[in-house]
Amino acid sequence: MNNPADYITGLHHLTVSVGSAQEDIDFVTQVLGMRMIKQTVLFDGAASIYHLYYANADAEVGSVWTTFPFKKAGVYGRKGSGQIETSSFSVPTASLEFWVKHLNKHNVPHSGIIERFGDKMITFEDRSGIGMAVVGCDNDNRNAWETEEISKVNGIRGLFGATIRSRDIIEMDFYLTKVLKFSKVGQDGDFHRYHIKDGGAQKTIELHHVPNMEQGSWTFAVGIPHHIAFATAKDEHNLELKAYIEGFGYTDVTELKDRNYFHSIYNRTPSGALFEFATSDIGFAIDEEENLLGHQLLLPPVFEHRREEIVKPLEEIVLPKYLRV
Ligand SMILES: [Fe+2]
């Protein structure tokens, strides 16, 4: 490895703030059909907010979707530029007809099957207004979680990529290509596509050029995406990456933060979107067995003595059937 940017292997997870916890659990497990793998809380700040994690059948890095339900706390924000516009999930192209019917059945308004960069996809929003897409990708062997309504064949394999709304392309293009060493692979209308290494599922980032759109909220708030996390292997790589990014003059790279299931650094990008770089060497089985992932509310050891005060304000939730043990 000559360049710390080479340590980035693809997406690690995507994180958004949503409405109520129950609405989120129902949408992600029933409409998206993902596996709920972790119930914990937001580690930053003083408010008690759930942090819910979902993934594919194998709870793999690069399949992870995480949410902060902010409705109970009553925190709302503004949509705009400098935010993730669309979080996209990888499904087989042949399953898109199924997804049209499935979204209709659940009363989720959608785009129908559209095409961008030659990929067929359907765009829609979750119940809180988070932009999402299922993207047809036939080169993705990851295992989808199976539900009563979604077969393993049709299910979400993991993350495909993310589209960022950016008022400016030049500075963000520099950051993506010269700093992070992603490759620019094309432009389709106002969309610019970048590949991490060889691209495809888990390795695709797009910019949507929106020069006239006002800046959206950077805060946690209902219906507002929060960050894109990229995967690195371990702490040493993140520390090298931090020093490397700071060397360009982007001095706002955070210290290494302990997220219990991974260790992360964060950097505000020229687009306004927040990037995280998260290690892959710890994983979700650190505090519960692989086959029981998500079945109980888990706190990091440093929060455990405050469990009662943290849990009390949280919304009561009904878990998916497979987690009711
Ligand atoms: Fe994150």
Side-chain angles (χ1 to χ4, degrees):
M1 292 267 181
N2 295 322
N3 192 304
D6 292 336
Y7 296 142
I8 303 166
T9 53
L11 290 170
H12 188 290
H13 62 272
L14 296 175
T15 294
V16 301
S17 302
V18 296
S20 86
Q22 190 64 57
E23 196 175 66
D24 184 62
I25 291 168
D26 293 347
F27 190 87
V28 181
T29 64
Q30 294 167 25
V31 180
L32 297 182
M34 297 181 79
R35 176 185 178 192
M36 189 169 172
I37 60 160
K38 192 67 69 183
Q39 297 175 55
T40 184
V41 293
L42 172 60
F43 295 176
D44 297 338
S48 286
I49 305 289
Y50 274 116
H51 193 184
L52 306 175
Y53 286 69
Y54 309 89
N56 67 9
D58 299 317
E60 285 173 290
V61 161
S63 76
V64 179
W65 172 251
T66 97
T67 65
F68 299 121
F70 259 87
K71 189 173 178 183
K72 194 154 187 266
V75 181
Y76 292 83
R78 287 186 311 137
K79 285 196 182 198
S81 58
Q83 294 176 340
I84 304 168
E85 176 174 82
T86 309
S87 297
S88 54
F89 300 92
S90 169
V91 299
T93 309
S95 74
L96 289 172
E97 295 288 351
F98 160 82
W99 281 95
V100 166
K101 290 184 205 133
H102 181 68
L103 292 169
N104 288 341
K105 181 179 166 191
H106 288 273
N107 298 313
V108 179
H110 60 81
S111 64
I113 299 172
I114 58 172
E115 200 167 315
R116 198 156 75 218
F117 294 103
D119 291 330
K120 291 192 165 53
M121 62 184 77
I122 306 167
T123 60
F124 53 96
E125 291 182 348
D126 83 342
R127 307 292 186 205
S128 71
I130 294 290
M132 298 178 161
V134 282
V135 177
C137 178
D138 297 323
N139 188 21
D140 188 347
N141 298 321
R142 293 176 292 176
N143 287 314
W145 183 244
E146 190 166 36
T147 73
E148 283 171 12
E149 294 180 51
I150 306 174
S151 69
K152 215 169 177 58
V153 175
N154 289 332
I156 286 172
R157 268 60 174 145
L159 299 174
F160 179 81
T163 304
I164 300 162
R165 287 197 206 100
S166 188
R167 284 170 68 98
D168 175 77
I169 292 297
I170 296 169
E171 287 301 317
M172 192 57 182
D173 181 272
F174 178 87
Y175 183 88
L176 294 177
T177 62
K178 299 295 191 291
V179 181
L180 300 189
K181 305 289 183 190
F182 298 173
S183 329
K184 170 100 185 249
V185 291
Q187 183 175 352
D188 186 342
D190 294 329
F191 293 88
H192 301 251
R193 186 175 267 200
Y194 298 83
H195 281 172
I196 305 165
K197 304 205 185 293
D198 51 349
Q202 203 197 330
K203 297 186 175 70
T204 301
I205 292 293
E206 286 174 8
L207 299 181
H208 183 193
H209 192 200
V210 289
N212 301 314
M213 185 180 280
E214 283 188 21
Q215 170 70 50
S217 305
W218 283 356
T219 56
F220 299 122
V222 173
I224 304 295
H226 193 255
H227 62 262
I228 300 175
F230 298 92
T232 61
K234 54 185 180 179
D235 289 0
E236 291 75 15
H237 288 182
N238 259 3
L239 292 172
E240 275 187 56
L241 191 58
K242 171 179 162 64
Y244 163 79
I245 295 172
E246 287 172 345
F248 284 87
Y250 303 105
T251 47
D252 58 334
V253 184
T254 67
E255 79 281 14
L256 196 62
K257 291 176 187 279
D258 182 357
R259 298 322 198 177
N260 213 18
Y261 310 106
F262 40 86
H263 294 164
S264 298
I265 54 173
Y266 299 78
N267 183 217
R268 185 68 65 181
T269 68
S271 68
L274 183 64
F275 280 11
E276 173 183 355
F277 302 92
T279 58
S280 307
D281 56 347
I282 303 173
F284 299 101
I286 187 181
D287 55 3
E288 58 190 337
E289 285 178 39
E290 215 289 327
N291 61 344
L292 290 175
L293 290 179
H295 78 294
Q296 61 178 326
L297 180 69
L298 292 166
L299 302 178
V302 292
F303 281 15
E304 202 52 64
H305 68 286
R306 292 172 44 218
R307 178 173 274 270
E308 203 179 319
E309 88 184 77
I310 289 171
V311 170
K312 209 173 167 200
L314 296 173
E315 179 186 332
E316 274 191 40
I317 52 175
V318 178
L319 294 170
K321 271 189 235 161
Y322 55 85
L323 292 180
R324 291 179 217 157
V325 291

PDB file of all heavy atoms in Angstrom, residues 282-299:
ATOM      1  N   ILE A 282     -13.998  -5.264  14.007  1.00  0.00           N
ATOM      2  CA  ILE A 282     -14.663  -5.600  15.275  1.00  0.00           C
ATOM      3  C   ILE A 282     -15.968  -6.351  14.983  1.00  0.00           C
ATOM      4  O   ILE A 282     -16.092  -7.532  15.266  1.00  0.00           O
ATOM      5  CB  ILE A 282     -14.920  -4.339  16.127  1.00  0.00           C
ATOM      6  CG1 ILE A 282     -13.593  -3.598  16.378  1.00  0.00           C
ATOM      7  CG2 ILE A 282     -15.578  -4.726  17.458  1.00  0.00           C
ATOM      8  CD1 ILE A 282     -13.745  -2.254  17.056  1.00  0.00           C
ATOM      9  N   GLY A 283     -16.940  -5.671  14.441  1.00  0.00           N
ATOM     10  CA  GLY A 283     -18.160  -6.351  13.994  1.00  0.00           C
ATOM     11  C   GLY A 283     -19.268  -6.382  15.018  1.00  0.00           C
ATOM     12  O   GLY A 283     -19.104  -5.959  16.174  1.00  0.00           O
ATOM     13  N   PHE A 284     -20.417  -6.887  14.610  1.00  0.00           N
ATOM     14  CA  PHE A 284     -21.653  -6.791  15.403  1.00  0.00           C
ATOM     15  C   PHE A 284     -21.820  -7.935  16.394  1.00  0.00           C
ATOM     16  O   PHE A 284     -22.706  -7.894  17.241  1.00  0.00           O
ATOM     17  CB  PHE A 284     -22.848  -6.685  14.451  1.00  0.00           C
ATOM     18  CG  PHE A 284     -22.751  -5.456  13.601  1.00  0.00           C
ATOM     19  CD1 PHE A 284     -22.306  -5.519  12.286  1.00  0.00           C
ATOM     20  CD2 PHE A 284     -23.030  -4.217  14.140  1.00  0.00           C
ATOM     21  CE1 PHE A 284     -22.168  -4.376  11.520  1.00  0.00           C
ATOM     22  CE2 PHE A 284     -22.895  -3.057  13.384  1.00  0.00           C
ATOM     23  CZ  PHE A 284     -22.470  -3.141  12.068  1.00  0.00           C
ATOM     24  N   ALA A 285     -20.995  -8.947  16.303  1.00  0.00           N
ATOM     25  CA  ALA A 285     -21.101 -10.082  17.221  1.00  0.00           C
ATOM     26  C   ALA A 285     -20.253  -9.875  18.475  1.00  0.00           C
ATOM     27  O   ALA A 285     -20.076 -10.787  19.277  1.00  0.00           O
ATOM     28  CB  ALA A 285     -20.705 -11.370  16.509  1.00  0.00           C
ATOM     29  N   ILE A 286     -19.766  -8.653  18.689  1.00  0.00           N
ATOM     30  CA  ILE A 286     -18.922  -8.385  19.864  1.00  0.00           C
ATOM     31  C   ILE A 286     -19.718  -8.469  21.162  1.00  0.00           C
ATOM     32  O   ILE A 286     -19.190  -8.809  22.217  1.00  0.00           O
ATOM     33  CB  ILE A 286     -18.228  -7.008  19.737  1.00  0.00           C
ATOM     34  CG1 ILE A 286     -17.207  -6.782  20.854  1.00  0.00           C
ATOM     35  CG2 ILE A 286     -19.221  -5.875  19.694  1.00  0.00           C
ATOM     36  CD1 ILE A 286     -16.487  -5.461  20.822  1.00  0.00           C
ATOM     37  N   ASP A 287     -21.042  -8.179  21.123  1.00  0.00           N
ATOM     38  CA  ASP A 287     -21.820  -8.165  22.361  1.00  0.00           C
ATOM     39  C   ASP A 287     -23.083  -9.013  22.328  1.00  0.00           C
ATOM     40  O   ASP A 287     -23.884  -8.983  23.256  1.00  0.00           O
ATOM     41  CB  ASP A 287     -22.139  -6.720  22.790  1.00  0.00           C
ATOM     42  CG  ASP A 287     -22.841  -5.919  21.702  1.00  0.00           C
ATOM     43  OD1 ASP A 287     -23.121  -6.492  20.645  1.00  0.00           O
ATOM     44  OD2 ASP A 287     -23.094  -4.725  21.915  1.00  0.00           O
ATOM     45  N   GLU A 288     -23.322  -9.750  21.261  1.00  0.00           N
ATOM     46  CA  GLU A 288     -24.408 -10.747  21.238  1.00  0.00           C
ATOM     47  C   GLU A 288     -24.092 -11.759  20.147  1.00  0.00           C
ATOM     48  O   GLU A 288     -23.353 -11.462  19.208  1.00  0.00           O
ATOM     49  CB  GLU A 288     -25.791 -10.108  21.047  1.00  0.00           C
ATOM     50  CG  GLU A 288     -25.948  -9.296  19.799  1.00  0.00           C
ATOM     51  CD  GLU A 288     -27.237  -8.486  19.753  1.00  0.00           C
ATOM     52  OE1 GLU A 288     -28.216  -8.832  20.441  1.00  0.00           O
ATOM     53  OE2 GLU A 288     -27.265  -7.499  19.004  1.00  0.00           O
ATOM     54  N   GLU A 289     -24.662 -12.946  20.292  1.00  0.00           N
ATOM     55  CA  GLU A 289     -24.331 -14.013  19.342  1.00  0.00           C
ATOM     56  C   GLU A 289     -24.867 -13.681  17.953  1.00  0.00           C
ATOM     57  O   GLU A 289     -25.903 -13.047  17.816  1.00  0.00           O
ATOM     58  CB  GLU A 289     -24.955 -15.337  19.801  1.00  0.00           C
ATOM     59  CG  GLU A 289     -24.219 -15.968  20.958  1.00  0.00           C
ATOM     60  CD  GLU A 289     -24.913 -17.244  21.410  1.00  0.00           C
ATOM     61  OE1 GLU A 289     -25.388 -17.995  20.531  1.00  0.00           O
ATOM     62  OE2 GLU A 289     -25.002 -17.456  22.626  1.00  0.00           O
ATOM     63  N   GLU A 290     -24.147 -14.176  16.955  1.00  0.00           N
ATOM     64  CA  GLU A 290     -24.482 -13.883  15.558  1.00  0.00           C
ATOM     65  C   GLU A 290     -25.943 -14.200  15.257  1.00  0.00           C
ATOM     66  O   GLU A 290     -26.633 -13.427  14.596  1.00  0.00           O
ATOM     67  CB  GLU A 290     -23.547 -14.695  14.644  1.00  0.00           C
ATOM     68  CG  GLU A 290     -23.145 -14.004  13.362  1.00  0.00           C
ATOM     69  CD  GLU A 290     -24.264 -13.866  12.339  1.00  0.00           C
ATOM     70  OE1 GLU A 290     -25.154 -14.745  12.254  1.00  0.00           O
ATOM     71  OE2 GLU A 290     -24.273 -12.870  11.614  1.00  0.00           O
ATOM     72  N   ASN A 291     -26.436 -15.326  15.756  1.00  0.00           N
ATOM     73  CA  ASN A 291     -27.821 -15.716  15.423  1.00  0.00           C
ATOM     74  C   ASN A 291     -28.868 -14.971  16.262  1.00  0.00           C
ATOM     75  O   ASN A 291     -30.061 -15.111  16.035  1.00  0.00           O
ATOM     76  CB  ASN A 291     -28.015 -17.235  15.535  1.00  0.00           C
ATOM     77  CG  ASN A 291     -27.763 -17.737  16.932  1.00  0.00           C
ATOM     78  OD1 ASN A 291     -27.172 -17.029  17.756  1.00  0.00           O
ATOM     79  ND2 ASN A 291     -28.215 -18.943  17.230  1.00  0.00           N
ATOM     80  N   LEU A 292     -28.406 -14.187  17.243  1.00  0.00           N
ATOM     81  CA  LEU A 292     -29.341 -13.412  18.075  1.00  0.00           C
ATOM     82  C   LEU A 292     -29.181 -11.904  17.861  1.00  0.00           C
ATOM     83  O   LEU A 292     -29.747 -11.106  18.606  1.00  0.00           O
ATOM     84  CB  LEU A 292     -29.107 -13.726  19.557  1.00  0.00           C
ATOM     85  CG  LEU A 292     -29.511 -15.112  20.039  1.00  0.00           C
ATOM     86  CD1 LEU A 292     -29.102 -15.290  21.494  1.00  0.00           C
ATOM     87  CD2 LEU A 292     -31.012 -15.329  19.880  1.00  0.00           C
ATOM     88  N   LEU A 293     -28.443 -11.526  16.836  1.00  0.00           N
ATOM     89  CA  LEU A 293     -28.183 -10.097  16.619  1.00  0.00           C
ATOM     90  C   LEU A 293     -29.482  -9.303  16.604  1.00  0.00           C
ATOM     91  O   LEU A 293     -30.431  -9.674  15.924  1.00  0.00           O
ATOM     92  CB  LEU A 293     -27.464  -9.877  15.276  1.00  0.00           C
ATOM     93  CG  LEU A 293     -26.010 -10.334  15.156  1.00  0.00           C
ATOM     94  CD1 LEU A 293     -25.478 -10.047  13.756  1.00  0.00           C
ATOM     95  CD2 LEU A 293     -25.129  -9.690  16.212  1.00  0.00           C
ATOM     96  N   GLY A 294     -29.528  -8.224  17.382  1.00  0.00           N
ATOM     97  CA  GLY A 294     -30.680  -7.315  17.360  1.00  0.00           C
ATOM     98  C   GLY A 294     -31.776  -7.617  18.348  1.00  0.00           C
ATOM     99  O   GLY A 294     -32.756  -6.886  18.416  1.00  0.00           O
ATOM    100  N   HIS A 295     -31.649  -8.689  19.146  1.00  0.00           N
ATOM    101  CA  HIS A 295     -32.796  -9.109  19.956  1.00  0.00           C
ATOM    102  C   HIS A 295     -32.973  -8.308  21.236  1.00  0.00           C
ATOM    103  O   HIS A 295     -34.016  -8.375  21.860  1.00  0.00           O
ATOM    104  CB  HIS A 295     -32.739 -10.609  20.244  1.00  0.00           C
ATOM    105  CG  HIS A 295     -31.778 -10.990  21.332  1.00  0.00           C
ATOM    106  ND1 HIS A 295     -30.428 -10.836  21.201  1.00  0.00           N
ATOM    107  CD2 HIS A 295     -31.982 -11.509  22.560  1.00  0.00           C
ATOM    108  CE1 HIS A 295     -29.837 -11.245  22.304  1.00  0.00           C
ATOM    109  NE2 HIS A 295     -30.748 -11.660  23.148  1.00  0.00           N
ATOM    110  N   GLN A 296     -31.953  -7.557  21.655  1.00  0.00           N
ATOM    111  CA  GLN A 296     -32.112  -6.766  22.887  1.00  0.00           C
ATOM    112  C   GLN A 296     -31.383  -5.437  22.769  1.00  0.00           C
ATOM    113  O   GLN A 296     -30.491  -5.282  21.945  1.00  0.00           O
ATOM    114  CB  GLN A 296     -31.570  -7.555  24.082  1.00  0.00           C
ATOM    115  CG  GLN A 296     -30.094  -7.871  23.964  1.00  0.00           C
ATOM    116  CD  GLN A 296     -29.553  -8.609  25.162  1.00  0.00           C
ATOM    117  OE1 GLN A 296     -30.001  -8.381  26.282  1.00  0.00           O
ATOM    118  NE2 GLN A 296     -28.592  -9.483  24.939  1.00  0.00           N
ATOM    119  N   LEU A 297     -31.806  -4.489  23.613  1.00  0.00           N
ATOM    120  CA  LEU A 297     -31.167  -3.171  23.591  1.00  0.00           C
ATOM    121  C   LEU A 297     -29.811  -3.263  24.276  1.00  0.00           C
ATOM    122  O   LEU A 297     -29.722  -3.602  25.454  1.00  0.00           O
ATOM    123  CB  LEU A 297     -32.043  -2.144  24.312  1.00  0.00           C
ATOM    124  CG  LEU A 297     -31.459  -0.730  24.329  1.00  0.00           C
ATOM    125  CD1 LEU A 297     -31.468  -0.111  22.937  1.00  0.00           C
ATOM    126  CD2 LEU A 297     -32.211   0.154  25.301  1.00  0.00           C
ATOM    127  N   LEU A 298     -28.771  -2.967  23.526  1.00  0.00           N
ATOM    128  CA  LEU A 298     -27.414  -3.068  24.052  1.00  0.00           C
ATOM    129  C   LEU A 298     -26.785  -1.688  24.155  1.00  0.00           C
ATOM    130  O   LEU A 298     -26.930  -0.866  23.251  1.00  0.00           O
ATOM    131  CB  LEU A 298     -26.574  -3.954  23.139  1.00  0.00           C
ATOM    132  CG  LEU A 298     -26.993  -5.425  23.140  1.00  0.00           C
ATOM    133  CD1 LEU A 298     -26.363  -6.172  21.979  1.00  0.00           C
ATOM    134  CD2 LEU A 298     -26.607  -6.080  24.455  1.00  0.00           C
ATOM    135  N   LEU A 299     -26.107  -1.462  25.254  1.00  0.00           N
ATOM    136  CA  LEU A 299     -25.401  -0.198  25.458  1.00  0.00           C
ATOM    137  C   LEU A 299     -23.904  -0.485  25.496  1.00  0.00           C
ATOM    138  O   LEU A 299     -23.489  -1.562  25.928  1.00  0.00           O
ATOM    139  CB  LEU A 299     -25.829   0.439  26.788  1.00  0.00           C
ATOM    140  CG  LEU A 299     -27.322   0.717  26.941  1.00  0.00           C
ATOM    141  CD1 LEU A 299     -27.618   1.297  28.323  1.00  0.00           C
ATOM    142  CD2 LEU A 299     -27.813   1.673  25.860  1.00  0.00           C
TER     143      LEU A 299
END
